[in-house]
Structures are given as C-alpha cells and as structure tokens.
Amino acid sequence: MTLPVYEVFAIKYAERPGRRPEHFIGGDAHDAHMPMDYFIWLIRNDERLIVVDTGFDAAMAAKRGRT
C-alpha cells in the first residue's frame, strides 16, 4: 500500500507587535519584545485540498482587541 504524499504550506496573513507576558496564560517573567504572526495552513496533493485555520472568529477578535 502506498501512502499519499502531501505538500504543506504555511501562509502568513497578519502580524502584530507584542511582549512575552501577553502571549502566555499567567504571563511570563521575561518581559521582552515578542511579535506574533498569524497563519493559515494549506495541505494539498493531486486529489485533495485542505485549508486549516486555527484562529478565532470576529466576536473573539473584538473581545481580544484584535482586527
């Protein structure tokens, strides 16, 4: 049996500045610059095309102060 071969692409669609304590639950003692990048993932082969978006919806974006 031959397993299918896929290509995987990370597609960056946004970025924002930030500091380490903003990115970890409970904060982080190392208060340093730490920007955040946002990606969706494309997984494909000759038979399938899959898009993976692990982000949040517009309501959660508003709650978090994101655009």
Side-chain angles (χ1 to χ4, degrees):
M1 180 175 153
T2 303
L3 295 175
V5 175
Y6 289 88
E7 293 179 296
V8 179
F9 299 88
I11 303 165
K12 181 178 171 182
Y13 67 89
E15 61 184 45
R16 72 174 177 89
R19 303 205 59 84
R20 288 185 60 90
E22 299 167 357
H23 299 306
F24 298 98
I25 296 172
D28 186 317
H30 305 95
D31 187 17
H33 179 70
M34 185 179 178
M36 177 69 71
D37 296 333
Y38 295 88
F39 294 87
I40 60 172
W41 299 84
L42 172 67
I43 305 165
R44 72 176 185 183
N45 70 5
D46 292 337
E47 299 173 7
R48 290 188 172 150
L49 179 67
I50 303 165
V51 175
V52 179
D53 180 355
T54 61
F56 41 80
D57 62 14
M60 182 56 73
K63 183 177 178 180
R64 294 181 178 190
R66 310 285 190 265
T67 56

